[in-house]
Amino acid sequence: KFDVDLSLGARKIVNHFEEFKISLSAIAELSDIKFERVLPVFKINNNPKIVADEVRKLINAEFKDKPKEFLTELIKKLAEKNILVFEFVETWNKKETANIDGFFLKPNVIVLKRQQISFKREVFTLAHELGHYLLEEEEIDQIDYQNLANQNLSKIENWCNDFAYYFLINEFEKIVENIENSTPHNDYNIDLIKSISAKTHLSKMAIFTKLLLLNKISPVNYKKVKNEFEEEFRLVQDKIKKQRELDKQNGINGGGSTPIPIKSPLLVSTIQTAFYEGVINEYEFCKKLNIKPDKIDSFLYESSN
């Protein structure tokens, strides 16, 4: 179900992973691999906070200081629950970009857009799409992950946003609820907000949005803080863009290497088993895992450990 007009780039991404899911399901069946559901199914009338507390314990992901490492840990733990997570990467100069950050495909596939500049955003996206998996609801919407107070979202999207917040805030929930009102006089509690953000991987804006919902910051002050964060982000983006242009003028290839998507251990083990069972050959093994043929031996060795 598409609640947003998908761009051509987004439609291509959705179609690609739909086809990949079907192909992988066929490979798994031929290899006698079962993706049995481990986590329970919940309903929209279940309290997202209670669900988040329960599911967090079931997944039991170890907290990592760096958002990318925590993202990798979450993907690994979800693989243990038979949930496949894929990343797709868009280069900075791609013409047809996707206007979505992620989506869920039944029965067990979550797809994320690599957020190289903001892994916290990608972590939130993963938690949000996990909410869709728990509800067994495929619904693609264009969400502002920095603004959880969007009043135009469906009940499902709001539930998934709430679930993601509570899933990530963990034991710091009470601190946010009991914080004093954020005003210019106390610098909007920015130091405390930064500290909570670092220890939860929720963005600072997501926490401020929760404060808005709790009436701990006025709409006027909230808008000021939001504008300041957006201006900071814009300046960073402009700096990166100017550096690229300068490098180009000086004949320097400043684009760097394209980020490599994080591979789900469940994908690796499935393809590995299919290879050992003779269901796929070396060419298909490399194609499915997007690796070069000369890396297959070491990759198989690493995958088996």
Side-chain angles (χ1 to χ4, degrees), residues 239-256:
K239 185 177 180 180
I240 294 173
K241 184 178 179 181
K242 288 178 181 178
Q243 186 61 51
R244 282 175 178 157
E245 292 174 349
L246 184 61
D247 289 342
K248 187 176 181 180
Q249 292 174 5
N250 294 329
I252 301 173
N253 182 13

Side-chain angles (χ1 to χ4, degrees), residues 1-2 13-22 25 37 82-84 86 102-111 129 132-133 136-140:
K1 180 181 178 183
F2 298 152
I13 291 295
V14 173
N15 289 338
H16 168 76
F17 282 102
E18 280 276 17
E19 292 171 0
F20 193 94
K21 181 192 73 172
I22 294 170
S25 296
R37 186 180 180 106
N82 286 337
I83 301 172
L84 280 158
F86 298 99
F103 53 94
F104 161 64
L105 297 173
K106 292 181 181 179
N108 67 330
V109 173
I110 291 174
V111 181
E129 299 306 331
H132 280 279
Y133 170 83
E136 286 194 319
E137 291 283 356
E138 284 182 336
E139 184 173 297
I140 301 178

Side-chain angles (χ1 to χ4, degrees), residues 85-301:
V85 180
F86 298 99
E87 280 189 312
F88 68 92
V89 176
E90 291 191 323
T91 55
W92 64 273
N93 58 349
K94 185 179 179 181
K95 292 182 179 179
E96 298 173 357
T97 58
N99 61 337
I100 52 175
D101 287 326
F103 53 94
F104 161 64
L105 297 173
K106 292 181 181 179
N108 67 330
V109 173
I110 291 174
V111 181
L112 307 174
K113 181 178 181 179
R114 166 61 74 87
Q115 302 289 347
Q116 192 68 14
I117 296 177
S118 178
F119 279 103
K120 287 185 180 181
R121 177 169 179 163
E122 191 171 348
V123 166
F124 189 92
T125 302
L126 178 52
H128 175 96
E129 299 306 331
L130 175 59
H132 280 279
Y133 170 83
L134 296 172
L135 295 176
E136 286 194 319
E137 291 283 356
E138 284 182 336
E139 184 173 297
I140 301 178
D141 205 337
Q142 191 174 21
I143 307 167
D144 181 0
Y145 289 97
Q146 304 304 310
N147 183 3
L148 310 185
N150 191 333
Q151 300 298 315
N152 298 319
L153 298 179
S154 69
K155 289 182 179 180
I156 292 173
E157 293 300 326
N158 275 321
W159 192 96
C160 292
N161 272 344
D162 287 341
F163 167 82
Y165 172 82
Y166 288 117
F167 181 83
L168 295 172
I169 195 66
N170 203 357
E171 71 267 22
F172 294 92
E173 176 200 349
K174 293 297 182 184
I175 296 177
V176 173
E177 288 184 354
N178 296 325
I179 196 173
E180 66 177 9
N181 289 357
S182 294
T183 68
H185 298 293
N186 58 15
D187 199 20
Y188 305 108
N189 297 302
I190 190 63
D191 289 337
L192 178 57
I193 300 301
K194 285 180 179 178
S195 175
I196 296 172
S197 176
K199 294 174 182 176
T200 62
H201 295 319
L202 277 167
S203 71
K204 295 186 291 292
M205 201 62 237
I207 298 171
F208 271 112
T209 300
K210 190 62 177 179
L211 293 180
L212 176 66
L213 296 173
L214 293 170
N215 295 317
K216 297 276 185 180
I217 186 172
S218 71
V220 173
N221 286 333
Y222 173 81
K223 187 174 181 181
K224 288 180 181 177
V225 171
K226 191 170 187 288
N227 289 340
E228 287 178 8
F229 283 146
E230 289 176 347
E231 179 62 14
E232 287 177 10
F233 184 76
R234 187 190 66 78
L235 291 174
V236 171
Q237 292 290 87
D238 286 348
K239 185 177 180 180
I240 294 173
K241 184 178 179 181
K242 288 178 181 178
Q243 186 61 51
R244 282 175 178 157
E245 292 174 349
L246 184 61
D247 289 342
K248 187 176 181 180
Q249 292 174 5
N250 294 329
I252 301 173
N253 182 13
S257 58
T258 302
I260 299 174
I262 299 169
K263 291 181 175 62
S264 167
L266 183 57
L267 170 65
V268 175
S269 64
T270 301
I271 299 302
Q272 183 185 21
T273 300
F275 178 77
Y276 288 146
E277 293 291 327
V279 175
I280 60 174
N281 56 29
E282 290 189 5
Y283 170 78
E284 291 168 321
F285 181 92
C286 295
K287 184 178 180 182
K288 293 296 183 186
L289 294 180
N290 194 24
I291 60 172
K292 295 181 180 179
D294 61 353
K295 300 292 183 182
I296 187 169
D297 289 339
S298 60
F299 201 91
L300 278 171
Y301 174 76

